[in-house]
């Protein structure tokens, strides 16, 4: 799905696109650190190194900037999940590598999930952003669904495994675990949540003998 902010960005010159990207990146970092409500235009202008007219030219309202940040963070989440070492997230081993990469990340202790943190803040305070939040989560979960679908098609997951439900489980475990990590200053909650979700998914593995575990795949 292409959002209005993404469509607008595609119409810019190279210089304009670079300025817009700099503004969005600076705003995303400030919002991640302080929250949307505690981030103002002056802070964004200073961090991005732009004038007030440049900021308002690209983002006439704070709402338009917050929406662009949501889109940018969702893009980042999707890109990270498409890292070469994860492939198509279509094996037990790839899902385990995905979980381990976040469990080891200090970002989870510092500020939680970049997309989820802002989504949680704006979904109630700014109902107009709900579709952007829903689209970001849908793009994320679609990656899991596709991988799990392929595992089921290859006969690695039993037919009764529901890829959509399992994708919800993975994202919910991630979001809840990330919040608990942030509160505790410890990576144990996220580890327990993700490993628990993976163990449930592995309970649908097709086993070929009494001693066989789930196929770890590629």
């Amino acid at each position: 799905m292409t959002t209005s902010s993404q469509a607008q960005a595609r119409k810019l010159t190279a210089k304009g696109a670079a300025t817009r990207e700099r503004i969005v990146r600076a705003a995303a970092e400030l919002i991640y650190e302080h929250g949307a409500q505690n981030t103002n235009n002056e802070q964004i202008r200073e961090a991005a190194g732009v004038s007030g007219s440049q900021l308002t030219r690209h983002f006439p309202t704070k709402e338009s900037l917050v929406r662009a940040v949501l889109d940018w963070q969702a893009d980042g989440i999707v890109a990270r999940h498409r890292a070469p070492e994860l492939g198509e997230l279509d094996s037990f081993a790839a899902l385990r590598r995905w979980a381990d990469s976040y469990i080891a990340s200090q970002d989870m202790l510092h500020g939680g999930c970049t997309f989820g943190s802002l989504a949680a803040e704006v979904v109630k305070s700014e109902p107009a952003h709900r579709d952007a939040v829903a689209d970001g989560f849908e793009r994320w979960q679609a990656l899991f669904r596709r991988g799990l679908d392929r595992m089921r098609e290859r006969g690695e997951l039993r037919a009764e495994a529901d890829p959509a439900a399992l994708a919800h489980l993975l994202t919910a475990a991630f979001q809840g675990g990330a919040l608990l990590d942030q509160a505790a200053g410890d990576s144990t909650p996220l580890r327990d949540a993700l490993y628990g979700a993976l163990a449930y998914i592995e309970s649908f593995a097709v086993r070929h003998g009494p001693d066989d575990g789930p196929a770890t795949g590629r």
Side-chain angles (χ1 to χ4, degrees):
M1 175 180 176
T2 300
T3 67
S4 58
S5 63
Q6 290 169 330
Q8 180 185 17
R10 291 175 183 174
K11 298 177 182 178
L12 298 173
T13 64
K15 183 177 180 181
T19 299
R20 184 184 189 277
E21 172 75 10
R22 196 162 69 249
I23 293 169
V24 173
R25 185 181 295 273
E29 291 175 357
L30 287 167
I31 288 172
Y32 184 58
E33 184 73 26
H34 305 293
Q37 295 299 318
N38 296 319
T39 299
N40 59 46
N41 284 356
E42 183 177 353
Q43 294 169 317
I44 295 168
R45 289 198 306 269
E46 182 177 350
V50 299
S51 65
S53 62
Q54 285 177 305
L55 178 58
T56 56
R57 184 182 309 126
H58 289 282
F59 301 104
T61 65
K62 185 174 182 179
E63 289 72 22
S64 64
L65 178 55
V66 169
R67 192 176 189 89
V69 169
L70 280 167
D71 293 337
W72 187 80
Q73 289 175 334
D75 287 344
I77 288 280
V78 170
R80 181 164 177 173
H81 284 62
R82 287 176 170 163
E85 63 270 20
L86 300 181
E88 297 296 325
L89 290 170
D90 61 349
S91 71
F92 294 110
L95 290 171
R96 180 72 60 161
R97 287 193 296 271
W98 163 75
D100 288 343
S101 72
Y102 275 104
I103 293 167
S105 173
Q106 291 300 305
D107 291 344
M108 295 298 100
L109 304 182
H110 174 62
C113 172
T114 54
F115 179 76
S117 296
L118 179 56
E121 180 180 356
V122 304
V123 74
K124 288 184 179 180
S125 63
E126 298 290 344
H129 294 319
R130 186 167 296 170
D131 61 333
V133 171
D135 179 64
F137 279 119
E138 168 57 27
R139 291 171 58 200
W140 185 359
Q141 291 175 82
L143 299 175
F144 290 125
R145 282 201 308 274
R146 282 196 292 270
L148 293 163
D149 268 327
R150 288 170 182 167
M151 292 170 70
R152 192 170 64 172
E153 289 167 3
R154 291 197 303 262
E156 295 166 14
L157 286 175
R158 299 199 306 275
E160 62 266 30
D162 182 344
L166 296 178
H168 288 153
L169 174 65
L170 286 170
T171 48
F174 180 90
Q175 288 297 318
L179 177 59
L180 291 173
D181 266 16
Q182 187 180 0
D186 186 294
S187 62
T188 302
L190 181 61
R191 182 197 66 198
D192 290 345
L194 292 183
Y195 284 180
L198 292 177
Y200 180 70
I201 291 172
E202 289 170 357
S203 73
F204 290 96
V206 173
R207 302 176 189 276
H208 302 288
D211 299 323
D212 290 346
T216 55
R218 295 178 292 279

